[in-house]
Amino acid sequence: MRTQVGIVGAGPAGLMLSHLLHLQGIESVVVESRSRAYVEQRVRAGVLEQGSVDLMCRVGLGERLQREGMRHEGIELRYDGQSYRVPMTELTGRAITVYGQQEVVKDLIAARLAAGGSILFETEAVRVENLDSAPTIYLRQGGRDIELHCDFVAGCDGFHGVSRNAVPDGVLRTHERTYPFAWLGVLAAAPPAVDELIYANHERGFALYSLRSPEISRLYLQVAPDEDIADWPDERIWAELRTRLETVPGWSLNEGPIVEKSVTPMRSFVVEPMQWQRLYLAGDAVHIVPPTGAKGMNLALADVALLGEAFAAWYGEGRTDLLESYSTTALRRVWRAQHFSWWMTSMLHRLDSDDPYEAKLQTATLRYVASSRAYATSLAENYVGLPLS
Ligand code: RFL
Ligand code: PHB
């Protein structure tokens, strides 16, 4: 098989890149190890920055997002028995939209297939080779081996992907932090008791109240990194959520059947540079942020917005400048998001059970956000996202 850009991974990064290339008349093939049903149902992120919403609209995929997505103009912080609303739109003129990642993925898959695009599901990229001259992706599909030859490879295959491994040892530099906690995430068939997200700092640990629709709530609890999900029957989850979130008089959450639950470890991770020879890496394949800042999917989309333009300049006018500057430009946004995600995580989670100093610093920081327009604006402009460069 042959194509212009071979894309490994049908997450938000790989699918959006394929769509952007199609709009520029550039051919691509997306290879995805999982089935279509699996990637369309995988529950993950839920917050789209304004820039991601603008991108979806610009590429003709804004219709369902505008109809079903929920625009939020603020978030609430709960700490020390108090509550503070960060008025994001008042402070920045921008907003976020709650729209599940799997909805973005469904919209992109539908658009690619309707345009005759090629997405090979249940096809695993085993390795990538010849990146200096004639890139080849070696695939396995139902016991069959296939070679996909291309001009460029886009490695959009997430943290556990293989494309990064094609780079020889010593070329890439990895920066990493792991956190001594994880998130237990649940999806509940319960009408949300909120119309904006609540981020709660509690002495028993962090909790987050989010939502997916007028009928479905999305909630998270800070738990131990090695937490066994079997130790968390629904009753225990609701009891812990009540303790950590019902800290404001007269407010209570809505309970309902839990339809999905999982534990996600938290890490910060960056690989530099994001390109080697004819391999361009994007999204979770090269950077991970803890989810507290809601940045992961947005960074993945921002990377491929740049990459799409760079390929268009190369195929259209033979220009190499945007391909050459891709990694440097993308990493500026990546490191801003790394800092913001680390900062939100540090401010909101229980860090060290024996040291009250950390908790005192957190309360001081939260009080400062609640009392200083400058500090609240800094949080808000990072949360809604800086404009795509
Ligand atoms: P993905 O979505 O992981 O897609 C990679 C795809 O590559 C496939 N793959 C392969 N295919 C073929 N051959 C191989 N050898 C392959 N190896 C892997 C995989 O099956 C997969 O389909 O990466 P991408 O596109 O870079 O997208 C990144 C986002 O998925 C991720 O950053 C976000 O989900 C992170 N995240 C959040 N981001 C936000 O912007 N806002 C949020 O509110 C938010 N909340 C979250 C999150 C992630 C979470 N979890 C579960 C990690 C909340 C949670 C709980
Ligand atoms: C979500 O709705 O899944 C969500 C919201 C905000 C975050 C992380 C996840 O910071």
Side-chain angles (χ1 to χ4, degrees), residues 220-243:
Y220 297 96
L221 283 170
Q222 175 185 352
V223 294
D226 52 356
E227 198 75 44
D228 184 354
I229 196 118
D231 293 337
W232 286 87
D234 295 5
E235 244 334 291
R236 182 176 176 205
I237 294 174
W238 287 118
E240 197 61 40
L241 285 166
R242 282 195 301 269
T243 304

Side-chain angles (χ1 to χ4, degrees), residues 9 12-13 32-33 42 44-46 101 125 157 283-284 294-298:
E32 167 59 53
S33 52
R42 190 163 45 191
R44 281 194 169 176
Q101 177 168 323
D157 44 355
D284 278 17
K295 288 282 162 263
M297 169 170 52
N298 295 295

